[in-house]
């Protein structure tokens, strides 16, 4: 059997079905055979007892003693005249008065039962040819005395009949198993048709047709969970494929502009002799652009690793105000250059990876410093709530239109596309914030009302024992 057939579901089910049918047919055939044999043996025993009773009646008639001596075969003929019928008459002293036994069979003489013995008095024996025989003995009146009458019979034809019956049962079981195999194969082929349709539909789905879903309309109920699981998998594949395609397109777009700038500036600079100061300015400009590209590549690598669950946050209970103050101190100089103030308030314990938490806060504060109006205040707030710790960064600046809010955490998404990357942003800062919150099992969100924009980080609450350690 080839590997394909060995692993075929249809072949396995058909083989099991055939085995079950064969065992059932064999069991039923055995039962019917034994019932048939028992019934035939019962009827033969009753017939043998009837013959014994018939001989006993004949011996009781007048002249039976003379008939026994002159025509002993008469008694055998009374047993349907069959040659396989044996009769023996034994006197009370053990002398054999007559023995009708043409074949010279040797059979046992069971104890003589009453005048009307039952089946329990019948004994079995085997003829010289190996055929089964039955024998019974009874008391009969003969004249003024009694004799023992022994009646035996060989059932050679019965053994042949039983053999033919067994062959027919075996043949019927084999035909039944073969018919069951054909029927099972036909039913399986028809029953597995929905699976073939499903496989064909799944095979037709290509990267460009991931929006298609497997049709569950005519599918049997047993396949509905599988179809639902496959459709859910297709939805995830479609989402991932679309995200990857968009990411590739955004990546090409974001890299094309700085690379073109580097090439253009270098080509213009080399088009004619320049002074040392001009070359230094070009190199400084290129270094600035390369640094931005390096930050973008580092951010992309982080997002790729976070998306593949390769970043494992080392969570620990932290005082949120301390972490916010460290970030605020880092951006204090940049804020002062733009006439901004950074204030931190609130008291809460946050369960987070310290480095990732500072990176998320730094991205939000950096974003606020770039977009806040001069002379305003950037507020960092920590709130302990039931089941979570919420950190927020709020600033006043250019209003954000509502249609932009759902996309602010998307990669390379910019509200003001005209500004491009002139402010040094890679367009990945808020995406990294979202990825960090996903790693912590939390969420990042943004709310805007007028000129006020508020970014919130919602961390799952720290355990009580962790909060106590953080407080110390």
């Amino acid at each position: 059997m080839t590997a394909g057939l060995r692993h075929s579901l249809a072949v396995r089910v058909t083989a099991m079905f055939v085995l079950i049918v064969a065992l059932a047919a064999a069991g039923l055939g055995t039962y019917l055979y034994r019932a048939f044999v028992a019934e035939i043996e019962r009827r033969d025993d009753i017939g043998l007892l009837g013959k014994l009773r018939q001989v006993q009646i004949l011996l009781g008639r007048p002249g039976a003693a003379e008939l026994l001596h002159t025509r002993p075969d008469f008694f055998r003929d009374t047993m349907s005249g069959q040659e396989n019928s044996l009769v023996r008459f034994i006197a009370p002293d053990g002398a054999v008065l007559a023995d009708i036994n043409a074949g010279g069979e040797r059979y046992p003489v069971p104890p003589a039962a009453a005048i009307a013995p039952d089946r329990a008095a019948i004994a079995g024996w085997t003829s010289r040819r190996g055929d089964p025989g039955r024998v019974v003995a009874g008391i009969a009146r003969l004249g003024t005395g009694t004799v023992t009458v022994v009646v035996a019979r060989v059932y050679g034809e019965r053994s042949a009949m039983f053999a033919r019956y067994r062959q027919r049962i075996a043949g019927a079981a084999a035909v039944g198993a073969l018919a069951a195999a054909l029927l099972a194969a036909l039913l399986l082929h028809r029953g597995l048709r929905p699976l073939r349709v499903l496989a064909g539909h799944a095979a037709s789905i290509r990267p460009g047709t991931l929006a298609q879903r497997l049709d569950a309309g005519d599918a049997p109920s047993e396949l509905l969970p599988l179809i639902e699981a496959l459709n859910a998998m297709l939805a995830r594949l479609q989402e991932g494929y679309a995200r990857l395609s968009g990411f590739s397109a955004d990546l090409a777009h974001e890299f094309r502009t700085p690379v073109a700038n580097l090439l253009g500036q270098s080509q213009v600079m080399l088009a004619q002799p320049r002074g040392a100061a001009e070359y230094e300015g070009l190199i400084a400009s290129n270094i600035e652009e390369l640094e931005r590209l390096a930050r973008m590549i580092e951010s992309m690598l982080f997002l790729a690793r976070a998306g593949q669950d390769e970043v494992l946050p080392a969570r620990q209970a932290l005082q949120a105000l301390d972490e916010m103050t460290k970030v605020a101190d880092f951006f204090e100089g940049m804020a002062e250059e733009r006439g901004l103030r950074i204030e931190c308030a609130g008291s809460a314990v946050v369960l987070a990876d310290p480095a990732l938490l500072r990176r998320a806060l730094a991205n939000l504060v950096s974003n606020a410093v770039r977009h806040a109006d001069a002379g305003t205040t950037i507020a960092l707030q920590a709130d302990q709530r039931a089941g979570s710790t919420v950190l927020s960064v709020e600033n006043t600046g250019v209003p954000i239109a509502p249609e932009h809010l759902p996309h602010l955490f998307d990669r390379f998404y910019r509200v003001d596309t005209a500004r491009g990357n002139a402010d040094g942003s890679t367009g990945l800062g808020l995406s990294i914030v979202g990825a960090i919150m996903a790693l912590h099992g939390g969420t990042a969100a943004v709310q805007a009302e007028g000129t006020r924009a508020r970014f919130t980080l919602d961390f799952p609450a720290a355990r009580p024992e962790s909060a106590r350690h953080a407080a110390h």
Side-chain angles (χ1 to χ4, degrees):
M1 181 180 291
T2 64
L5 291 177
R6 189 167 56 251
H7 294 95
S8 170
L9 178 62
V11 172
R12 291 183 181 182
V13 174
T14 300
M16 293 179 63
F17 192 69
V18 169
L19 179 61
I20 293 174
V21 171
L23 291 176
L28 180 61
T30 302
Y31 171 77
L32 293 177
Y33 171 76
R34 290 185 176 180
F36 175 74
V37 169
E39 180 61 21
I40 294 297
E41 289 178 347
R42 187 185 70 83
R43 295 182 62 178
D44 286 346
D45 286 348
I46 292 175
L48 188 65
L49 292 173
K51 295 302 179 184
L52 173 63
R53 182 59 182 164
Q54 186 177 2
V55 173
Q56 288 174 323
I57 294 174
L58 287 176
L59 289 176
R61 292 180 179 178
E66 181 179 358
L67 188 62
L68 177 63
H69 289 90
T70 57
R71 294 179 56 192
D73 291 343
F74 171 79
F75 294 94
R76 187 195 63 188
D77 294 341
T78 58
M79 302 174 68
S80 301
Q82 298 178 5
E83 294 295 334
N84 56 1
S85 297
L86 313 175
V87 182
R88 182 181 298 175
F89 301 94
I90 303 175
D93 58 358
V96 177
L97 302 177
D99 186 8
I100 305 170
N101 185 359
E105 296 287 351
R106 300 182 63 181
Y107 54 88
V109 178
I115 294 177
D118 55 13
R119 291 189 65 195
I122 300 177
W125 60 286
T126 303
S127 70
R128 293 188 301 174
R129 298 174 55 184
D131 297 323
R134 302 285 282 175
V135 58
V136 65
I139 303 299
R141 291 187 177 277
L142 181 63
T144 56
T146 60
V147 295
T148 299
V149 179
V150 181
V151 177
R153 192 167 183 178
V154 178
Y155 298 100
E157 76 287 355
R158 193 176 69 179
S159 298
M161 180 183 64
F162 288 162
R164 291 193 299 272
Y165 192 69
R166 287 194 299 270
Q167 293 175 356
R168 289 179 180 178
I169 289 177
V175 172
L178 179 60
L182 296 176
L183 183 60
L186 180 62
L187 291 177
L188 282 173
H189 183 269
R190 186 177 180 81
L192 293 177
R193 183 176 178 276
L195 274 179
R196 292 194 296 275
V197 173
L198 183 65
H201 193 181
S204 66
I205 296 177
R206 298 288 185 272
T209 59
L210 285 176
Q212 293 185 12
R213 296 293 181 268
L214 302 178
D215 184 14
D218 297 329
S221 59
E222 290 81 1
L223 292 182
L224 291 181
L226 175 62
I227 294 176
E228 292 174 357
L230 290 176
N231 282 336
M233 182 187 69
L234 286 174
R236 294 193 295 272
L237 288 175
Q238 182 187 10
E239 180 184 357
Y241 191 79
R243 187 182 305 169
L244 181 61
S245 299
F247 180 72
S248 300
D250 293 339
L251 187 63
H253 174 75
E254 294 297 325
F255 271 89
R256 182 178 59 184
T257 300
V259 171
N261 291 339
L262 290 172
L263 284 173
Q265 292 175 3
S266 300
Q267 289 170 349
V268 169
M269 185 62 65
L270 295 177
Q272 57 184 343
R274 306 284 183 178
E278 291 178 300
Y279 285 120
E280 289 179 359
L282 172 65
I283 294 173
S285 175
N286 287 351
I287 289 175
E288 182 180 353
E289 196 67 32
L290 289 173
E291 288 177 345
R292 198 180 72 82
L293 284 176
R295 291 197 303 272
M296 186 184 299
I297 292 172
E298 190 275 334
S299 298
M300 290 167 49
L301 289 175
F302 176 83
L303 289 173
R305 292 175 57 203
Q308 297 296 326
D309 293 333
E310 295 180 1
V311 179
L312 299 177
R315 295 183 179 87
Q316 55 183 282
L318 304 169
Q319 285 295 336
L321 184 59
D322 294 344
E323 301 301 322
M324 292 190 301
T325 302
K326 293 176 183 176
V327 175
D329 293 343
F330 179 80
F331 284 93
E332 184 178 4
M334 296 174 58
E336 289 179 355
E337 290 179 0
R338 298 201 63 236
L340 301 172
R341 288 190 305 155
I342 302 178
E343 295 180 352
C344 301
S347 176
V349 176
V350 59
L351 185 64
D353 183 295
L356 295 178
L357 173 62
R358 291 166 198 159
R359 185 169 187 174
L361 287 173
N363 286 357
L364 292 181
V365 174
S366 174
N367 182 70
V369 169
R370 281 198 303 271
H371 298 289
D373 290 339
T376 59
T377 299
I378 299 173
L380 278 65
Q381 178 71 35
D383 294 305
Q384 193 76 61
R385 299 179 182 176
S388 66
T389 301
V390 178
L391 310 183
S392 63
V393 177
E394 186 172 358
N395 68 276
T396 301
V398 178
I400 303 175
E403 62 268 22
H404 295 301
L405 296 179
H407 306 290
L408 287 184
F409 291 95
D410 294 347
R411 296 173 180 178
F412 300 117
Y413 188 83
R414 290 185 176 86
V415 174
D416 186 0
T417 55
R419 296 179 62 182
N421 51 23
D423 56 0
S425 171
T426 62
L428 295 173
L430 295 181
S431 298
I432 291 176
V433 172
I436 290 174
M437 293 310 297
L439 290 173
H440 285 81
T443 58
V446 57
Q447 296 174 329
E449 184 176 356
T451 59
R452 300 292 294 175
R454 185 170 185 265
F455 291 84
T456 57
L457 307 179
D458 193 337
F459 288 87
R463 295 187 296 272
E465 58 275 18
S466 299
R468 285 195 295 272
H469 290 306
H472 292 84

